[in-house]
Amino acid sequence: MTRRPHRAHLPEERPESTAPLTPPELTEAECRRCGTYIAGLDGRYACGVCGWVNDHSEGHRRLPRADEDPDRPPKGRRRPKQLPWPPPGPAEGPPYPC
């Protein structure tokens, strides 16, 4: 298992990007495992038949960083509170009194 890099070893911070992202290109290929015709974005594929996925580095261009995502919530905003799981079910016992 690969150890996660510490903050000191991460690449240097990049300034905020203001350039709009180019839209992804729809690409098509055959699955390398089962031969099913599949489509993907920018050369990144996942087969819904056999589960094969190509490595992200095989794509045609780099993936955008999180700070380049136009739908990313502003800094300081918290994630919504998760509902308890499993959802409450009906009470144990017979559904109607006898």
Side-chain angles (χ1 to χ4, degrees):
M1 182 159 74
T2 306
R3 296 184 118 199
R4 194 173 194 183
H6 294 287
R7 190 75 174 138
H9 300 301
L10 292 176
E12 61 188 54
E13 296 293 325
R14 295 180 216 158
E16 289 286 326
S17 174
T18 58
L21 294 174
T22 57
E25 177 187 352
L26 184 63
T27 54
E28 300 165 341
E30 283 189 14
C31 173
R32 294 181 196 161
R33 184 183 296 162
C34 70
T36 302
Y37 189 71
I38 54 178
L41 296 176
D42 292 330
R44 294 178 178 93
Y45 304 104
C47 179
V49 176
C50 69
W52 171 81
V53 178
N54 72 332
D55 190 68
H56 70 87
S57 64
E58 295 178 36
H60 299 162
R61 55 185 154 170
R62 74 170 183 82
L63 292 169
R65 297 185 323 262
D67 61 347
E68 295 173 328
D69 182 1
D71 298 325
R72 184 179 184 192
K75 285 189 175 189
R77 183 173 169 196
R78 291 184 174 183
R79 298 181 95 182
K81 192 178 252 186
Q82 297 294 316
L83 296 173
W85 190 257
E92 298 274 335
Y96 302 103
C98 298

